[in-house]
């Protein structure tokens, strides 16, 4: 006999189909069962479209025809996120569930942006918390934006065995293998914004776009490129101003950049020193759920210093760059307390000859 957890796990699998297309909305999946047999499935396919619950109910109607009305009244729903009870781009899902007659709903995770489905719907039996941790991990960016008022922030670094990211001459741009670099493009596609500083732009002149990620090309939305330009270094001719994606510049002075693909937000130098305020801006004004930081040691250390990094992804190549290397962090030279930050290892995988190490800081 299939357990409730197995049904919810299928709903989570369905939710992942919206990985690239629902932003800034969360990914949501839904399964409807009758006498423990699945009779309808649905997921949120894209922002502005029907939510998972409505699609699952419609799937039941498509599958059962005239029988659907009576069968739904004896059915259970498994949904990965609390159904919306407010009107947005679509009507509230709570109304669709009530009209369907479903009397029991399993919810993986609550949604604090809503006004309480379980509190309002007294005629429906609601069971909350089934696979909550898995559901929150799936939409960690959405929950960070709603609850912390800032995006979920991932920092990425490509390093050698000795922590080197390049030689002091600026050479050794490609430390890691082609497999690792392809994985980075996948990581970019999975984030809504990529943030860097002018130092990285001047040295590497990256385009910061996702290319050949292995993900469906028709679903990949290029992340917003975000650059902190405290001293007005950018000219508008750099690769980050290419037409493949939009670019947002935080600057302390009136910018000379005139580019149809870019926006410039002028901030005081004090505001530009507060990365937290910039992240709050991205969350509030741009509805950004996830940010990938691709930068050098100065900006990386600033994010660590403000305790903003939620996850660190290291691509480690079996190479030693030696004494004249640049390291990905200099915290041990500037802040003794921060130099002892520990990490929990979430996973270690092999990419060709490299190691991909995902860590969670223990602040």
């Amino acid at each position: 006999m299939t357990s409730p957890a197995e049904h919810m796990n299928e709903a989570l699998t369905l939710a992942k189909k919206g990985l690239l297309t629902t932003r800034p909305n969360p990914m949501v999946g839904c399964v409807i069962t009758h006498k423990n047999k699945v009779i309808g499935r649905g997921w949120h396919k894209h922002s502005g479209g029907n939510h998972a619950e409505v699609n699952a109910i419609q799937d039941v109607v498509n599958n059962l025809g005239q029988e659907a009305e009576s069968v739904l009244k004896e059915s259970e729903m498994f949904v990965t996120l609390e159904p919306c009870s407010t009107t947005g781009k679509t009507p509230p899902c709570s109304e669709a569930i009530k009209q369907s007659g479903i009397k029991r709903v399993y919810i993986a995770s609550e949604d604090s942006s809503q006004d309480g489905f379980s509190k309002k719907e007294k005629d429906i039996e609601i069971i909350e918390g089934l696979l909550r941790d898995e559901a929150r991990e799936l939409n960690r960016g959405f929950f960070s934006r709603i609850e912390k008022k800032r995006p979920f922030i991932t920092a990425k670094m490509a390093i050698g065995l000795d922590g080197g990211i390049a030689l002091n001459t600026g050479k050794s741009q490609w430390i890691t293998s082609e497999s690792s670099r392809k994985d980075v493009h996948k990581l970019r596609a999975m984030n809504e914004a990529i943030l860097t500083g002018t130092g990285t732009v001047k040295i590497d002149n990256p385009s910061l776009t996702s290319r050949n990620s292995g993900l469906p090309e028709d679903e990949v939305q290029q992340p917003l490129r975000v650059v902190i330009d405290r001293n007005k270094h950018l000219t508008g001719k750099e690769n980050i101003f290419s037409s493949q994606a939009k670019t947002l510049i935080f600057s302390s002075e009136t910018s000379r950049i005139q580019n149809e693909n870019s926006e410039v937000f002028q901030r005081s130098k004090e505001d530009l020193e507060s990365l937290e305020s910039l992240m709050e801006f991205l969350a509030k004004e741009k509805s950004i759920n996830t940010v990938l930081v691709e930068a050098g040691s100065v900006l990386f250390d600033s994010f660590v210093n403000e305790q903003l990094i939620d996850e660190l992804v290291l691509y480690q190549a079996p190479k030693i760059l030696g004494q004249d290397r640049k390291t990905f962090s200099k915290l041990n030279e500037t802040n003794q307390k921060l130099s002892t930050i520990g990490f929990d290892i979430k996973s270690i995988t092999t990419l060709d000859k490299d190691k991909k190490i995902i860590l969670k800081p223990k602040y």
Side-chain angles (χ1 to χ4, degrees):
M1 182 175 179
T2 307
S3 68
E6 289 175 292
H7 291 313
M8 186 63 80
N9 195 57
E10 181 178 2
L12 287 166
T13 299
L14 289 169
K16 294 174 184 177
K17 292 186 175 185
L19 172 66
L20 303 174
T21 57
T22 63
R23 57 186 65 167
N25 291 354
M27 294 169 274
V28 184
C30 182
V31 167
I32 298 174
T33 65
H34 179 252
K35 297 181 180 179
N36 207 38
K37 179 183 177 182
V38 176
I39 58 172
R41 298 173 174 87
W43 67 94
H44 184 39
K45 297 181 180 180
H46 58 85
S47 177
N50 287 339
H51 289 188
E53 302 93 319
V54 173
N55 286 333
I57 292 170
Q58 185 59 50
D59 192 42
V60 174
V61 173
N62 294 341
N63 292 334
L64 301 183
Q66 294 181 347
E67 296 181 57
E69 184 176 354
S70 59
V71 171
L72 279 168
K73 293 177 181 178
E74 301 174 347
S75 298
E76 297 180 331
M77 173 180 283
F78 297 81
V79 62
T80 59
L81 186 68
E82 177 183 337
C84 63
S85 50
T86 56
T87 301
K89 293 181 180 179
T90 59
C93 294
S94 57
E95 291 300 316
I97 296 171
K98 282 196 297 185
Q99 292 173 13
S100 75
I102 292 173
K103 296 301 182 184
R104 178 181 291 170
V105 178
Y106 289 84
I107 299 171
S109 178
E110 303 83 357
D111 180 358
S112 61
S113 69
Q114 299 299 315
D115 56 4
F117 177 75
S118 60
K119 297 177 182 177
K120 293 178 64 176
E121 308 304 333
K122 303 300 182 183
D123 296 330
I124 301 175
E125 181 184 358
I126 299 170
I127 301 169
E128 297 179 311
L130 181 63
L131 301 188
R132 178 186 281 115
D133 291 346
E134 292 85 345
R136 287 186 63 85
E137 176 66 17
L138 177 65
N139 282 305
R140 61 192 191 179
F142 170 78
F143 286 116
S144 182
R145 177 168 65 86
I146 295 301
E147 297 170 1
K148 295 182 179 180
K149 310 303 179 186
R150 67 163 177 83
F152 185 95
I153 299 169
T154 301
K156 161 258 168 185
M157 285 284 181
I159 63 171
L161 295 174
D162 52 4
I165 58 174
L167 301 179
N168 283 323
T169 59
K171 294 183 179 180
S172 306
Q173 182 178 8
W174 301 124
I175 297 173
T176 53
S177 66
E178 183 178 348
S179 296
S180 291
R181 297 198 295 273
K182 183 175 181 178
D183 195 73
V184 169
H185 284 284
K186 182 177 180 180
L187 185 63
R188 287 177 177 177
M190 293 170 63
N191 281 272
E192 297 172 30
I194 301 177
L195 184 143
T196 194
T198 52
T200 297
V201 173
K202 289 167 63 179
I203 294 171
D204 297 334
N205 196 21
S207 62
L208 295 184
T209 55
S210 176
R211 306 177 299 278
N212 301 318
S213 65
L215 297 170
E217 291 187 9
D218 60 335
E219 293 184 3
V220 171
Q221 301 177 49
Q222 289 295 340
L224 176 69
R225 299 173 292 198
V226 180
V227 185
I228 302 174
D229 186 13
R230 294 189 177 99
N231 298 305
K232 203 176 174 182
H233 285 306
L234 299 178
T235 66
K237 298 180 180 179
E238 295 84 357
N239 288 339
I240 57 164
F241 296 104
S242 63
S243 60
Q244 290 96 330
K246 299 292 185 180
T247 302
L248 185 152
I249 308 298
F250 288 117
S251 177
S252 62
E253 302 179 31
T254 302
S255 177
R256 54 184 166 172
I257 295 170
Q258 294 182 344
N259 185 293
E260 61 181 8
N261 294 312
S262 65
E263 292 182 271
V264 179
F265 289 89
Q266 188 174 351
R267 292 288 184 270
S268 68
K269 287 195 174 183
E270 290 76 16
D271 286 343
L272 291 182
E273 291 299 326
S274 172
L275 292 172
E276 184 171 10
S277 68
L278 299 184
M279 296 304 98
E280 289 174 353
F281 176 91
L282 292 178
K284 182 179 180 180
E285 302 299 331
K286 296 297 181 181
S287 297
I288 296 294
N289 293 316
T290 54
V291 169
L292 176 64
V293 178
E294 292 196 46
S297 60
V298 174
L299 193 52
F300 173 79
D301 288 352
S302 296
F303 270 94
V304 175
N305 188 45
E306 292 191 38
Q307 299 187 4
L308 291 175
I309 292 177
D310 299 300
E311 187 170 272
L312 175 60
V313 180
L314 296 180
Y315 294 90
Q316 187 179 54
K319 299 177 181 178
I320 294 177
L321 275 70
Q323 183 177 356
D324 292 329
R325 72 190 185 282
K326 292 182 178 179
T327 58
F328 75 93
S329 174
K330 297 182 179 180
L331 283 174
N332 60 341
E333 298 177 12
T334 59
N335 191 316
Q336 189 168 352
K337 181 180 178 181
L338 285 174
S339 71
T340 60
I341 288 175
F343 293 84
D344 289 323
I345 298 176
K346 296 180 67 174
S347 66
I348 301 176
T349 54
T350 300
L351 295 171
D352 197 2
K353 297 179 180 180
D354 302 335
K355 296 293 184 184
K356 178 183 178 182
I357 308 169
I358 301 179
L359 308 109
K360 179 180 179 181
K362 296 194 293 185
Y363 293 116

